[in-house]
C-alpha cells in the first residue's frame, strides 16, 4: 500500500496519468470501448490517484456510449453529486 501511495505521488506519474485520461477522452467518440479500457487501466495502475474524479467521469461517459446505463449510474452514485453526476446527465440523459 505504501508503495502504491509513493508511486501515485511521483511527479512523473501525474504526467503519465494525464496522458492516459487524455487518450481515453480522445478515444471516446470513435471507440467508447477503448476509452473504457483506458479508464480501467488507470484504475489498476493508479488506484490512489489524484485524478479519480476525471477517471470516473471518463468511465461514466464510456459506459453511457456503450449503452451500459445501469453501470454508469452505479459509478455516478458511488461518487455523489458533482462532475461525475453531470457526466451521467449529459451522456446518458439521466
Amino acid at each position: 500500500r505504501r508503495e502504491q501511495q509513493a508511486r501515485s505521488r511521483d511527479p512523473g506519474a501525474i504526467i503519465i496519468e494525464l496522458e492516459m485520461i487524455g487518450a481515453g477522452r480522445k478515444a471516446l467518440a470513435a471507440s467508447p470501448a477503448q476509452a473504457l479500457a483506458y479508464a480501467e487501466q488507470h484504475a489498476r495502475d493508479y488506484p490512489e490517484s489524484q485524478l479519480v474524479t476525471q477517471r470516473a467521469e471518463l468511465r461514466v461517459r464510456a459506459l453511457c456510449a456503450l449503452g451500459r446505463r445501469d453501470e454508469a449510474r452505479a459509478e455516478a452514485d458511488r461518487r455523489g453529486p458533482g462532475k461525475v453526476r453531470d457526466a451521467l446527465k449529459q451522456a446518458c440523459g439521466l
Side-chain angles (χ1 to χ4, degrees):
R1 177 143 173 99
R2 286 184 183 182
E3 184 179 328
Q4 283 180 340
Q5 287 177 335
R7 260 188 296 146
S8 70
R9 293 189 178 125
D10 175 10
I14 194 71
I15 294 169
I16 295 168
E17 288 187 63
L18 287 167
E19 288 176 355
M20 191 179 294
I21 297 294
R25 286 179 179 154
K26 287 178 186 172
L28 191 56
S31 179
Q34 183 64 45
L36 183 59
Y38 278 116
E40 290 173 350
Q41 183 66 46
H42 184 270
R44 283 190 298 276
D45 291 352
Y46 304 98
E48 304 287 328
S49 176
Q50 299 172 43
L51 302 178
V52 69
T53 300
Q54 291 87 341
R55 176 177 70 217
E57 184 181 349
L58 174 61
R59 182 172 161 70
V60 163
R61 290 182 185 281
L63 288 167
C64 287
L66 292 167
R68 295 164 57 182
R69 297 170 72 133
D70 291 339
E71 290 175 73
R73 185 180 323 197
E75 179 73 28
D77 288 346
R78 281 192 293 275
R79 302 293 165 202
K83 290 185 176 190
V84 179
R85 175 72 57 199
D86 293 344
L88 179 68
K89 288 178 186 173
Q90 292 171 357
C92 279
L94 300 175

